[in-house]
Each structure stands twice: as C-alpha cells, then as structure tokens.
Amino acid sequence: MRDMRRSNRSVLLTNIYRQGPLSRYELGHQTSLSAASVSNLVGELLDEGVVEEAGSVESDGGRPRVLLRVAPTFGYVVGAEVGETRVRVELFDLAMNVLSTVVYPIETPKPAPELVVKHVLQGLAEVIAEAGVSTEQVLGLGVAVAGVVEGPADAVVHAQTLGWDAVPLGAMLAARTDIPIQVDNGANTLGQAEMWFGAGRGATDAVVALVGSGVGAALVTGGSSYRGTRSSAGEWGHTTIMYGGRQCRCGAMGCLEAYVGAEGVLERFQLANDGDPARGGDEEAAFTGLLDSVGTSEVAAKVVEDTIGYLGAGFANLVNLFNPERIVLGGWSGLLLGERYLPELREATARHALRQPYAQVSIVRCELGRDAVAMGAATLPVLRLLRDGGTPQRTTPRPAARAR
C-alpha cells in the first residue's frame, strides 16, 4: 500500500511539474486516478509544501478550478557541467530559475579527477552561499561529464578523451558532502533539459545532439531515454563516418567526432591552411573566427562546407537507424553552426537519408542555449524527487574514494 501510495503521488507530482499548473479535475483526467484519490494526495502535497496553489480558471458552470504547481522554493537543485575547458556550477529553484552561477576554467584538456571534484564541490559551496539558501534546502547535485557513466549509485566514469578509466566520480563527490549526488553523461542531461523545457517538448521519439569540442547524443524512444545495457548508448560521436579516416581522440579511426567536433574542425582547417591555425584566444574564439572568415577565405569556406556535409551524414545515420520525429541540435559549436547553416544542414541530411524517414523528421536548434547541459544536470535530483513522490533524499558522508 505504501508503494502504491508513493507511486500515485509520483504520477500526480510528475504531471503537475511537467504539464502544470493543473487543476484537480485535469489531474484526475490525465492520470485516471479517482477524484477522491487526487483530492487526498494533493492535500498531502499541499500540507507538506511540495505543491502550492497558482491561481484559478473558470469551470463550466461551477466554481472556478484552483490550479496547482510544484512550489519553486520547496527546495533547490544544483547542476554542474564538467566541460573540456571549464567547470560550470549553477543553483536553481524548482521552477528552474537560475539563482547563482560560478565558472572555473580548466587549463588542461585532461584534468585529474581530483581537480574536477575540487572545482565541483567548491562551486557547490559558492552557489549555495551566493543564493543565500541553506545546505539542508538543497535536494541534490547533478553532475554532467563526457564519456560513459555507469551507475547511478556511486557512478563510475569511463572517459577516454579525458584520460579517465573507471573513475569512481560519484563516490569521490559523495564522500565529501551529504548532499545527494547523481552523475550522468552531458549529452543525456542536455537531452533531458530539452525534452522537458525546450525544443524536444511534445516529441516521443527524438534525438538531442550535443556538438561541442566532442560529440554525443541523447536518444529518446517512446518518451523514455534509451541507455543500452550499461548506459553507454548515445555515443554517436564515436560512430564511424569514414573507414580508415582521421584518428579520433578516443583512439579509433574515422569517428564522426574527428570531423564535426570543434577540436577536429580546427585541426582540419590548420592542416588545409598550411599549418596556420584559426585565429582566436581559445577554442571557442577560434571556432567563431573560422566561421566569420568563410566569406574571405576559401580554405575556411571549404572546411565549413565539409563540416556541414559530415554532420548531415551523421544526422542521416540517426534518421535511418532510429526514425525520430525530431532531431535537436545543441552544444556550443552546434548552436554556432545551426545559427548560420541550418538550411544547409537539413539539405545535407536529406542527401544521405532515406526519403520516407527523412520526410518524417524535423531538425531544429536547441532552445535552452549553450548552458543547457548544467540545467539538465540539475534536473537529475528533480527527477528523483518526482519519482519519490515528493520525499527529499539525504545521505551521510562516506569514506573518501580515489580514482583508479
């Protein structure tokens, strides 16, 4: 009975959060729960402060219907993005309003796990202090990283591009804070954010592509995330786009990432430009400079044209394999390409995809911006709250874990 009650609370709370504000009548209609069950469970959630009233709407001949929403200040969540050039940590309320942000630059492309843990935990303390909330009000910390994440309990990260082999990142973080920790792949967190709040809303079969320094994808089928046997599904960037092609950072040859990831694009430009690199103080500035020079440099124009072609071929593979209704292009370099070349990208995809599944897909840009990975990481503790029916989870410190 307790499990059923928690399950029903979870169903109600998830509908309120994802579709709200909703009235009790709408909740009964959407969940198929009886009016009495909805009334009793909503009463509990109101008494506990998880849900609050949010105005009313007119009904057909009766009293106005009170609308309900998840209370934004019931608790707070923190999302951290471990990128290749920075660690970004943000604190949100439950309406996903950003209340505080800190960013720490990373000087090395292969940071030691201990350095990442230090930045994440320092950022956690800083955003909590800056926002003026107590540690007890923080429901959880979600961390997004590159690579394969095995978990969710005591998540272990395998990230060849970072030089990480079976790093127990979840345990390393959990040993130093009593705030609940969850770790996931950055493409998956971007995908969850876009499916909940952005360009993926309303789609049941979609792919959210992250194109930055590296390349990945979140796969959604039947409204649920597809992760494979051990959570490594979605490593789209390491599918082979050219047999015997360029060496990827993962060590394999011809990976898509070696041709459309920002690092690979800039390397291809440098090779084609007699060894002269693109101008810019860092990777993002250099990539932007490359795009800006398309009108004046034939080499830049050719490299960008080829990049759109490779990316279109990669999208066509997704279309032919998964038959999605929507492909969402995100990631910082993906957004830069999409701003300027989305029509060309659609044409390149059409040239490589089967006609019928291509006719059924729309290709759109990420709506939440370049920092959506951290927001997606923050939705990890929100999802746990929804699944637990509104009951927060706390942990106690454990012995420190070290990277292997």
Side-chain angles (χ1 to χ4, degrees), residues 36-325:
S37 293
V38 171
S39 179
N40 289 336
L41 294 175
V42 165
E44 288 181 6
L45 294 169
L46 284 167
D47 290 343
E48 294 166 14
V50 185
V51 168
E52 66 182 15
E53 295 182 353
S56 61
V57 292
E58 295 297 325
S59 62
D60 297 331
R63 293 182 299 175
R65 292 177 180 149
V66 175
L67 296 176
L68 304 165
R69 69 175 181 181
V70 172
T73 57
F74 174 74
Y76 302 88
V77 290
V78 178
E81 176 191 3
V82 179
E84 300 192 16
T85 59
R86 63 181 183 174
V87 172
R88 182 183 189 89
V89 184
E90 295 188 308
L91 184 141
F92 302 80
D93 63 18
L94 291 184
M96 301 314 292
N97 297 307
V98 182
L99 304 183
S100 180
T101 302
V102 294
V103 178
Y104 304 102
I106 296 177
E107 303 300 333
T108 171
K110 295 186 176 182
E114 291 81 6
L115 177 63
V116 168
V117 169
K118 174 186 174 182
H119 284 330
V120 169
L121 294 179
Q122 183 179 347
L124 174 65
E126 287 193 25
V127 295
I128 289 173
E130 185 176 306
V133 303
S134 68
T135 302
E136 290 70 25
Q137 292 175 287
V138 178
L139 303 177
L141 164 66
V143 182
V145 297
V148 176
V149 179
E150 291 186 311
D154 292 337
V156 175
V157 180
H158 308 266
Q160 289 172 234
T161 57
L162 298 180
W164 291 10
D165 182 20
V167 172
L169 187 64
M172 293 173 70
L173 290 164
R176 294 163 174 81
T177 177
D178 63 351
I179 293 175
I181 303 294
Q182 289 170 278
V183 182
D184 202 352
N185 173 272
N188 287 335
T189 68
L190 171 67
Q192 185 154 293
E194 285 293 328
M195 295 301 295
W196 282 20
F197 309 112
R201 291 195 71 178
T204 57
D205 292 86
V207 178
V208 181
L210 187 157
V211 182
S213 297
V215 176
L219 309 176
V220 178
T221 177
S224 300
S225 175
Y226 177 75
R227 294 174 177 265
T229 302
R230 297 292 296 273
S231 298
S232 68
E235 288 294 337
W236 171 58
H238 300 291
T239 57
T240 303
I241 199 72
M242 182 176 293
Y243 174 75
R246 289 170 47 80
Q247 185 170 30
C248 179
R249 298 182 302 173
C250 74
M253 310 298 289
C255 292
L256 178 66
E257 181 174 300
Y259 292 88
V260 304
E263 183 176 311
V265 173
L266 293 172
E267 287 179 356
R268 288 194 296 111
F269 173 78
Q270 185 172 355
L271 287 172
N273 201 38
D274 296 327
D276 188 16
R279 295 180 180 178
D282 55 26
E283 186 175 72
E284 296 184 27
F287 192 85
T288 301
L290 173 63
L291 296 181
D292 289 341
S293 64
V294 165
T296 58
S297 167
E298 291 184 5
V299 175
K302 176 60 175 171
V303 168
V304 172
E305 179 185 357
D306 288 346
T307 299
I308 296 300
Y310 290 128
L311 186 54
F315 275 5
N317 288 339
L318 295 173
V319 170
N320 293 343
L321 280 170
F322 300 107
N323 186 208
E325 61 185 292

